[in-house]
Amino acid sequence: MSNRLLIMCTALAIILTSAVSLTYLNRKAIILKLVTSRDRMDVAPNQTITWQAGPETATEPAQDRPPNIVFILIDDLGINDISTFGGGVAGGLVPTPNIDRLAREGAIFSQAYSGSGTCAPSRAMLLTGRYPTRTGFEFTPTPAGMGRIVSMFANDEARGTLPPLDYNKEAAKTALPYAEQGLPGTEVTLAEVLQAQGYHTVHIGKWHLGQNEESRAISQGFYESLNMENMFYLPKDDPDVVNAELDFDPIDKFLWARAQYATSYNSGDLFEPGGYLTDYWTDEAKKVIEANRNRPFFLYLAHWGVHTPLQATREDYDAVGDIQPHRLRVYAAMVRAIDRSVGEVMDKLEDEGLADNTIIVLSSDNGGAGYIGLPDINQPYRGWKITLFEGGIRVPLFMKWPARIAPGTVVETPVAHIDVMPTLAAAAGTEPPDGIEIDGLDLLPLATGSGEFDRADGALYWQSGYYQVVRAGDWKLQVDGRQKKTWLFNLADDPTEQSDLSQREPEKLAELEALIRKHQEGAVPVLYPYTIETPVAIDKTGAEIAVDGDEYVWWAN
């Protein structure tokens, strides 16, 4: 072949390859646009909310009433993002002084766990005190098209030695609509229990437990609900926002394509929030506290931060300094906004004279997400959100109640989200109705040092389909049913899960396997099946490529 002919053939090959690549990329872009634009919603300008108000004057002093309850839930916060535990974002460059103050002034549960490695099942367990084996609420509802889009993009990109995602198109076709995938109305929530006790109940923020008549917040015990209706903190082109899109993450591609900026009050028409979402919800939470200062209230402030899409205010972005990479700087600015929210809520309670007889509880729905590409957020623990390693389920759990809990209290007993509901019900002087089996326990004896705390089998459980986990005492067993793989750890000696003892401790392995089998006996069917199965690297972020020898788990959702 002549040099001229060789050059012509090479040029033609480059042109054809580029055309094919361009066509393929255009096809993906078109599919993404079609799938994510079909559910676009009409959103009105911001509206002023007139919160329902209690008596103008108190009939009795605040300290003589049942305690007010404020539960602050953060989304996807890494355990190492909080300086209470010696960390702090960006290697401690961005501390969390207000969250630290809350922890210091009450009880720190040093071995606290979320209900699951993803958000919605954890939220269901927080509000019901019940495992998915009783409720059937096991998987996180995802918007229409998300599984298809995420699997398509993930399987087309370099994932190293990780196997491809499995998307069950047939199961997705027959799945319930997104709005219908919710907590059944037959479940009794903490809000319903407190409502029956005379509390005014208010939800602000993320719900993610269904949008139909029986599962939305105002059907599950809340008199008022300022609900997150979509995913932007500010419009993408707002002059006050700094964005960080993650080109390596298929979930992020879906969010940026589909997200809108919207909220609603008591399931009414959609309207734009009044500013950066974290700050807007905080401002409205302070109005709720003021409106209800003369009667017992329960405020569930469920922040969207620090979940993707990564968006910060320009003021917070500038305040955290020159942190690299850009996505870490935006993330740090988002943590700063959450910490400011906690401080403002505490200050408002003090200003209204309510601080001494108000219980404030703070937690995160699960561990930090590996798909944002920040390796230190869950240190020193292995794993991420979407795993049941410690990094995916170790969360902060702080409880402040000056009337009952001494500052500086540290509780080392393992506890979990299923314990929150019975704890706060007991603090309010009530308990769930008869006939409702509650899996969690009242934590007040631990926090106050005033009584016994004894789980029936001494164990905590987690599950997502065939991935099932038990912690009993210091021992933790993880079973990945798809891989037929087990990990057994002694957390007293190995809290970061480095040394698998499943081959060396056959008796302990058998003992914990028996606990899992017993826990599954009589389990109710899941409310809706999983449609996607994802391999998640345990020790690599989404920005890294898996290689031979890297461990992973399969996550069904």
Side-chain angles (χ1 to χ4, degrees):
M1 182 182 292
S2 68
N3 287 340
R4 182 177 180 183
L5 182 58
L6 178 62
I7 291 171
M8 290 175 62
C9 289
T10 302
L12 180 60
I14 291 172
I15 292 169
L16 289 173
T17 301
S18 298
V20 170
S21 297
L22 182 60
T23 301
Y24 180 63
L25 289 173
N26 284 343
R27 180 174 67 83
K28 291 208 305 185
I30 290 169
I31 292 173
L32 181 61
K33 184 175 181 180
L34 287 174
V35 171
T36 58
S37 65
R38 66 185 183 188
D39 295 322
R40 304 297 286 182
M41 305 175 295
D42 293 330
V43 182
N46 178 250
Q47 300 174 10
T48 299
I49 299 169
T50 302
W51 294 100
Q52 298 172 27
E56 291 189 9
T57 58
T59 58
E60 55 185 338
Q63 64 270 20
D64 294 336
R65 301 196 299 262
N68 305 306
I69 298 172
V70 177
F71 187 86
I72 302 173
L73 186 63
I74 309 172
D75 201 313
D76 289 1
L77 188 72
I79 196 76
N80 196 43
D81 291 334
I82 299 177
S83 42
T84 295
F85 298 118
V89 186
L93 292 177
V94 183
T96 52
N98 294 297
I99 295 175
D100 297 347
R101 173 161 63 101
L102 171 61
R104 189 171 58 248
E105 293 177 353
I108 299 172
F109 294 87
S110 63
Q111 294 192 74
Y113 290 98
S114 63
S116 180
T118 58
C119 50
S122 278
R123 292 162 195 270
M125 282 181 258
L126 276 166
L127 289 176
T128 66
R130 286 154 60 87
Y131 284 120
T133 48
R134 296 195 193 278
T135 66
F137 196 93
E138 188 166 336
F139 306 116
T140 291
T142 54
M146 183 172 181
R148 177 186 175 191
I149 291 293
V150 168
S151 59
M152 179 182 69
F153 275 89
N155 290 337
D156 286 342
E157 295 172 2
R159 292 172 54 81
T161 57
L162 285 179
L165 280 68
D166 278 352
Y167 174 62
N168 190 329
K169 187 180 352 181
E170 294 307 312
K173 283 181 181 177
T174 59
L176 288 171
Y178 174 59
E180 300 292 322
Q181 296 181 22
L183 190 67
T186 53
E187 294 295 330
V188 178
T189 70
L190 172 62
E192 290 174 292
V193 170
L194 294 178
Q195 198 177 69
Q197 190 70 356
Y199 278 72
H200 187 73
T201 52
V202 180
H203 157 256
I204 293 178
K206 182 175 176 178
W207 180 243
H208 211 169
L209 296 177
Q211 299 176 350
N212 62 11
E213 287 293 328
E214 67 172 299
S215 61
R216 60 189 179 177
I218 57 173
S219 302
Q220 292 279 8
F222 289 96
Y223 287 113
E224 299 181 272
S225 172
L226 178 60
N227 189 55
M228 170 184 163
E229 294 289 351
N230 219 284
M231 297 170 285
F232 273 150
Y233 295 82
L234 277 173
K236 184 177 180 179
D237 57 356
D238 190 289
D240 293 327
V241 75
V242 179
N243 304 311
E245 296 187 50
L246 309 176
D247 58 5
F248 51 81
D249 177 36
I251 297 174
D252 204 59
K253 288 181 171 67
F254 178 86
L255 297 184
W256 284 100
R258 191 183 190 278
Q260 290 182 260
Y261 180 58
T263 189
S264 70
Y265 173 72
N266 280 8
S267 298
D269 293 339
L270 275 56
F271 58 91
E272 292 188 346
Y276 182 68
L277 207 55
T278 300
D279 293 328
Y280 169 64
W281 285 342
T282 303
D283 290 341
E284 295 303 320
K286 291 189 290 184
K287 294 175 185 176
V288 167
I289 292 170
E290 184 171 350
N292 293 279
R293 63 188 180 277
N294 293 321
R295 63 179 173 183
F297 63 85
F298 168 44
L299 170 60
Y300 174 37
L301 176 56
H303 276 297
W304 180 224
V306 290
H307 197 293
T308 50
L310 298 184
Q311 294 185 291
T313 64
R314 190 162 299 280
E315 181 180 353
D316 284 326
Y317 182 80
D318 292 340
V320 300
D322 186 16
I323 297 170
Q324 296 297 327
H326 173 69
R327 64 179 179 273
L328 176 57
R329 183 171 177 178
V330 174
Y331 181 83
M334 296 172 73
V335 174
R336 184 176 190 266
I338 289 289
D339 184 71
R340 177 172 61 249
S341 171
V342 174
E344 290 186 11
V345 168
M346 289 195 294
D347 290 345
K348 182 62 175 177
L349 289 166
E350 291 172 0
D351 292 344
E352 297 293 341
L354 302 174
D356 286 348
N357 198 36
T358 296
I359 303 170
I360 309 177
V361 181
L362 179 141
S363 192
S364 177
D365 61 350
N366 44 248
Y371 54 73
I372 62 176
L374 300 176
D376 297 329
I377 55 177
N378 295 324
Q379 289 296 317
Y381 303 109
R382 294 180 74 190
W384 321 96
K385 172 186 179 179
I386 323 181
T387 80
L388 298 175
F389 276 74
E390 295 289 284
I393 54 177
R394 275 278 187 130
V395 293
L397 182 61
F398 307 143
M399 183 182 301
K400 177 186 174 183
W401 188 10
R404 292 280 306 277
I405 299 174
T409 298
V410 177
V411 176
E412 297 181 355
T413 303
V415 301
H417 278 170
I418 55 166
D419 299 319
V420 170
M421 190 270 207
T423 300
L424 296 180
T430 187
E431 57 187 27
D434 292 338
I436 302 294
E437 294 285 342
I438 300 296
D439 295 303
L441 294 178
D442 178 9
L443 298 177
L444 289 176
L446 291 176
T448 61
S450 61
E452 297 294 323
F453 183 86
D454 185 22
R455 293 195 194 278
D457 56 8
L460 293 168
Y461 299 91
W462 299 265
Q463 66 190 69
S464 185
Y466 44 68
Y467 182 19
Q468 299 175 353
V469 175
V470 60
R471 174 172 178 171
D474 292 325
W475 290 90
K476 179 181 174 185
L477 173 65
Q478 302 195 53
V479 179
D480 181 338
R482 174 159 171 165
Q483 292 187 79
K484 302 294 190 290
K485 183 170 182 176
T486 60
W487 293 268
L488 178 67
F489 302 106
N490 185 329
L491 297 180
D493 301 328
D494 181 23
T496 61
E497 297 175 295
Q498 302 296 323
S499 179
D500 174 22
L501 302 176
S502 58
Q503 299 300 311
R504 292 160 49 188
E505 298 282 353
E507 291 184 3
K508 184 58 68 173
L509 175 65
E511 176 188 329
L512 269 64
E513 286 176 332
L515 283 176
I516 289 178
R517 287 195 300 271
K518 182 180 179 182
H519 180 68
Q520 294 297 325
E521 290 176 0
V524 302
V526 295
L527 296 173
Y528 41 89
Y530 58 82
T531 59
I532 188 169
E533 298 171 76
T534 306
V536 182
I538 299 164
D539 301 307
K540 293 280 181 70
T541 73
E544 300 170 279
I545 302 298
V547 299
D548 287 338
D550 283 345
E551 293 187 288
Y552 63 89
V553 298
W554 279 98
W555 187 271
N557 192 71

